Amino acid sequence: MDKFSFLNAVHAQLIDDLYQQYLKYPDSLEPSWKSFFQGFDFALENYGEEAGYSGGTQASAPVQATAQAAAQGQIPEEIEKEFKVLNLIEAYRTRGHLFTNTNPVRERRHFEPTLAIENFGLSKQDLTKKFSSAKETGMSGPATLQEIIDHLQQIYCSSIGLEYMHIGNVEERQFIREWIHVNSNRPKLNADEKVEILEKLNQAVAFENYLHTKFVGQKRFSLEGGESLIPALDQLITRSSELGVDEVVLGMAHRGRLNVLTNIFGKSYKQIFSEFEGKEFEEDVFSGDVKYHLGSSKKIKTAKGEEVAINLTPNPSHLETVAALVEGICRAKVDNIYKDFGKVLPIVIHGDGAIAGQGIVYEVAQMMTLEGYRTGGTVHIVVNNQVSFTTNYQDARSSVYSTDIAKVTESPVMHVNADDVEAVVHAIRFAADFRAKFGKDVYIDLLGYRKYGHNEGDEPRFTQPNLYKLISKHPNPREIYKDQLMKEGIVSSEKMKEMESSFKKLLDADFDASKEIEKNALDLFMEEAWKDFPLAARDTALNPVDTSFDLTKLKELAIKMSTLPADKNFIKKVSRLFENRLKMIENNQLDWALGEWLVYATLLSEGQNRSEER
């Protein structure tokens, strides 16, 4: 075994950093480190190669000196404890996400071993001692062990739990580490930004409450318990537009879809209310719960003044099928319009049960870096209600998290308490920044709850009585954030009353206006892209269409495709296959394979860059 193997990369980096600091400012080091490096310099100066610091290893001379001293039992106790503190820091990075405050309604599971200092050979007597290892956590200089622990708790174990140590790319890990060290992994928000977030939360909460009172008993797949998704999406679009994104394609299932349509895509409340009345559509082509499947396309201006095209993909089913559509649409836009993966952002919103349980999730995720399918990174947001349909998460999956699919693509994951909306915004901004930098997927696990049953007619207490006893007493995210901002002096009770009252008046006015709508109108998805393909009426859709193609040109295409280059050598089986095809063409015969080839060939010869499903 390599005699330096006990020194992992973190230890070695610290030793090198401290030695460079010693060379420049020797008196700035802790006495134990200064004394150690003085001894190292003395040995190097007086004994040279005899000191045993060889160039045949990747470890630097100071690291080798430390390893040799350790092997001989000559490392001072203070330096030995530095390594123990480094091991503690590394444990927070790798396992801190297991000990967070990310669950808004109940205690988390207990994991062993914990991050107690005794598990790392440290004691309470060490809490007041200063350690240079503090700089590895983003602190400016040496700090006491207690200060280091408090700092690590804030970064790794508060409302955000971060998984990133499974990522093999060193540059990506370093980027993440530096990003979360800023402001101890908390956002820096000014008063205007906080009020803006509160307004989006108010829209989300008030809209759900209004539907609940006006359309009693109707299923609406409410977002209640996960309303922070709305400010999250708003911030994701704003941040991404600043980073160069011109168009967003979003896919999601039923839960929260109406809230997203109104409060992100700007669909009028009166349209939603009218659809709840069950009125017919002007286009007589629908049946069933149409409002949960419709798409939408809009151009919006973000809070920062950037114009962005946003698209909500029509939902083909109620779970994960839409993810493949989102990726396909984004890739087509990159290939045919933007020529730049940074210009189009795919967002997929998952349920916790669906992302952990459906095979298509893996099928789509593993295409992330494939040349023919990649889209420059997708932001995945899991609206995690902890019970999927009715099942406790511990009975629903074998993995610790529903987002463990992220480890397949070495993508970072942030688990966030959905009640802490500022932490949610922070995580979303990280997702935008990481995706823009590395073109990889990012997963945000938005840990909340579902206030009612799967749909509002279900009774969740039948299967989860204890959990729903807690949920029934739990305040919504708007109330939590409102109280926080009032304590900070950013909003007053009068301001809140005005905000809630004015939005209620808007909803009332739109509710009354919805009564005047005779038939509902369909918002066309990506209308600009489909303008050359008008929607046909039923009586004309089946009219005969001339699909004939000139026979002489068809034969020319067939011969061209079936003729191998004369200057190349091919295996006999391939040569015979192509010879037989030429004979078929000569005898005016076709098989299915050649027929399909000719479908593509005729389309391409007419300038149609599209493939047809057989």
Side-chain angles (χ1 to χ4, degrees):
M1 180 182 290
D2 182 354
K3 65 181 179 180
F4 307 119
S5 61
F6 88 98
L7 292 173
N8 65 31
V10 178
H11 299 152
Q13 185 62 53
L14 176 68
I15 294 165
D16 283 334
D17 289 346
L18 289 175
Y19 183 64
Q20 292 303 316
Q21 183 181 339
Y22 163 77
L23 293 177
K24 293 180 180 178
Y25 313 106
D27 292 334
S28 67
L29 260 63
E30 289 296 300
S32 56
W33 279 111
K34 180 180 176 183
S35 175
F36 180 81
F37 287 134
Q38 283 175 337
F40 164 71
D41 278 356
F42 177 81
L44 197 64
E45 182 179 340
N46 289 278
Y47 299 101
E49 292 183 2
E50 295 177 25
Y53 309 137
S54 69
T57 175
Q58 291 184 345
S60 65
V63 173
Q64 293 181 53
T66 308
Q68 289 182 6
Q72 297 166 10
Q74 296 175 351
I75 283 192
E77 182 184 0
E78 293 87 349
I79 294 179
E80 189 175 345
K81 284 195 174 180
E82 286 277 12
F83 294 149
K84 292 177 179 179
V85 174
L86 280 171
N87 289 336
L88 175 65
I89 292 169
E90 193 74 353
Y92 268 93
R93 290 170 177 166
T94 55
R95 301 183 69 247
H97 59 87
L98 298 173
F99 308 99
T100 58
N101 296 318
T102 48
N103 197 317
V105 289
R106 55 181 170 180
E107 292 294 321
R108 290 203 59 185
R109 281 183 283 178
H110 185 72
F111 294 92
E112 292 283 353
T114 68
L115 297 174
I117 57 174
E118 291 78 11
N119 291 331
F120 300 88
L122 298 163
S123 67
K124 291 181 180 178
Q125 285 71 37
D126 297 315
L127 290 173
T128 56
K129 295 178 182 176
K130 286 195 171 185
F131 294 93
S132 298
S133 314
K135 291 190 289 186
E136 293 298 307
T137 71
M139 300 177 82
S140 59
T144 66
L145 179 57
Q146 185 63 64
E147 290 170 337
I148 293 171
I149 291 171
D150 291 343
H151 186 58
L152 291 170
Q153 284 287 131
Q154 180 65 49
I155 293 174
Y156 293 105
C157 300
S158 57
S159 293
I160 297 176
L162 173 61
E163 289 186 276
Y164 74 105
M165 294 301 285
H166 58 279
I167 297 173
N169 185 294
V170 175
E171 183 186 358
E172 291 174 18
R173 284 207 311 269
Q174 188 60 31
F175 172 87
I176 294 169
R177 196 166 294 162
E178 291 174 0
W179 201 97
I180 62 175
H181 283 171
V182 176
N183 203 37
S184 300
N185 204 20
R186 291 292 300 180
K188 288 184 177 179
L189 301 170
N190 59 41
D192 289 341
E193 288 175 315
K194 292 187 177 190
V195 171
E196 181 186 336
I197 292 168
L198 179 62
E199 286 175 344
K200 296 307 289 185
L201 262 185
N202 182 59
Q203 290 172 7
V205 171
F207 176 69
E208 295 289 358
N209 289 342
Y210 199 85
L211 289 179
H212 190 64
T213 56
K214 292 294 184 181
F215 302 99
V216 178
Q218 285 206 43
K219 61 181 180 181
R220 53 192 169 89
F221 302 101
S222 84
L223 190 57
E224 286 166 281
E227 294 99 331
S228 52
L229 174 68
I230 299 303
L233 288 174
D234 182 61
Q235 290 285 324
L236 178 56
I237 293 168
T238 297
R239 182 76 159 211
S240 297
S241 69
E242 293 178 89
L243 296 167
V245 168
D246 290 334
E247 187 158 3
V248 173
V249 182
L250 186 151
M252 66 183 300
H254 287 8
R255 186 154 313 283
R257 191 177 186 89
L258 300 182
N259 215 313
V260 170
L261 275 167
T262 54
N263 294 317
I264 297 297
F265 284 82
K267 184 170 183 174
S268 71
Y269 299 109
K270 68 179 180 182
Q271 283 181 278
I272 295 288
F273 298 151
S274 179
E275 289 169 12
F276 265 102
E277 297 285 352
K279 299 171 186 175
E280 294 180 351
F281 277 79
E282 292 174 353
E283 299 81 1
D284 186 22
V285 292
F286 300 108
S287 63
D289 53 353
V290 177
K291 56 185 173 291
Y292 303 110
H293 295 273
L294 292 178
S296 181
S297 294
K298 290 284 191 303
K299 282 196 174 179
I300 63 168
K301 271 201 171 182
T302 69
K304 302 289 186 180
E306 302 278 350
E307 186 173 79
V308 188
I310 58 175
N311 307 281
L312 178 62
T313 308
N315 185 27
S317 78
H318 68 293
L319 292 176
E320 293 289 338
T321 307
V322 74
L325 301 184
V326 169
E327 304 298 342
I329 291 168
C330 288
R331 181 56 187 255
K333 286 183 175 291
V334 170
D335 287 349
N336 298 325
I337 302 172
Y338 293 101
K339 314 297 182 185
D340 181 351
F341 289 109
K343 294 295 182 183
V344 186
L345 171 65
I347 304 171
V348 180
I349 299 174
H350 309 265
D352 53 312
I355 192 174
Q358 284 204 282
I360 193 173
V361 177
Y362 177 85
E363 293 174 31
V364 173
Q366 60 83 30
M367 293 180 179
M368 183 186 76
T369 59
L370 299 185
E371 187 60 36
Y373 300 93
R374 65 192 181 95
T375 55
T378 300
V379 176
H380 300 267
I381 304 175
V382 180
V383 179
N384 189 339
N385 62 35
Q386 305 187 51
V387 293
S388 303
F389 183 58
T390 58
T391 309
N392 190 294
Y393 63 90
Q394 288 179 291
D395 298 319
R397 62 177 184 265
S398 299
S399 59
V400 174
Y401 298 111
S402 64
T403 52
D404 280 351
I405 185 69
K407 294 179 174 66
V408 172
T409 53
E410 295 193 0
S411 299
V413 184
M414 277 195 171
H415 308 278
V416 197
N417 188 324
D419 273 358
D420 187 344
V421 67
E422 290 190 5
V424 172
V425 167
H426 190 62
I428 279 292
R429 289 180 174 180
F430 164 77
D433 290 356
F434 183 87
R435 188 261 179 188
K437 174 75 173 174
F438 296 105
K440 288 182 63 174
D441 289 9
V442 188
Y443 290 75
I444 303 298
D445 182 13
L446 194 62
L447 199 70
Y449 54 92
R450 187 184 66 203
K451 187 172 182 180
Y452 302 106
H454 172 66
N455 66 59
E456 285 64 32
D458 295 334
E459 177 48 76
R461 288 176 179 81
F462 290 162
T463 54
Q464 300 290 337
N466 294 331
L467 174 61
Y468 273 85
K469 186 177 181 180
L470 296 171
I471 289 173
S472 66
K473 302 173 183 176
H474 195 75
N476 65 55
R478 179 192 63 185
E479 296 305 305
I480 293 170
Y481 196 48
K482 176 181 74 174
D483 290 345
Q484 177 186 325
L485 296 193
M486 288 176 69
K487 288 176 182 175
E488 293 177 9
I490 291 175
V491 296
S492 62
S493 57
E494 290 76 18
K495 170 71 174 175
M496 278 309 307
K497 286 177 183 176
E498 180 189 344
M499 184 186 296
E500 293 171 14
S501 174
S502 61
F503 191 66
K504 172 69 163 51
K505 287 178 182 177
L506 171 63
L507 293 176
D508 284 337
D510 272 27
F511 182 76
D512 292 338
S514 71
K515 304 293 185 183
E516 306 300 320
I517 298 175
E518 294 183 5
K519 283 190 175 184
N520 293 317
L522 173 66
D523 287 335
L524 291 180
F525 173 68
M526 293 186 180
E527 185 174 7
E528 182 65 23
W530 290 97
K531 65 182 180 182
D532 295 330
F533 302 89
L535 188 65
R538 281 185 179 180
D539 57 348
T540 61
L542 298 179
N543 286 349
V545 177
D546 182 12
T547 61
S548 62
F549 194 85
D550 183 80
L551 183 59
T552 303
K553 291 181 180 178
L554 191 67
K555 279 192 173 183
E556 288 175 1
L557 289 172
I559 292 169
K560 190 173 184 179
M561 288 191 302
S562 303
T563 303
L564 293 172
D567 60 340
K568 300 286 191 298
N569 292 320
F570 297 90
I571 61 174
K572 290 181 180 180
K573 204 167 188 178
V574 172
S575 297
R576 281 199 305 270
L577 177 65
F578 276 75
E579 287 168 6
N580 290 336
R581 281 186 177 163
L582 286 170
K583 288 177 183 177
M584 277 196 301
I585 297 165
E586 189 178 328
N587 295 325
N588 285 329
Q589 295 175 337
L590 289 177
D591 61 10
W592 280 108
L594 183 55
E596 187 173 48
W597 272 29
L598 287 171
V599 170
Y600 296 136
T602 54
L603 286 170
L604 290 170
S605 70
E606 293 174 342
Q608 303 296 329
N609 184 20
R610 296 179 178 86
S611 63
E612 300 294 327
E613 187 67 29
R614 75 179 75 178

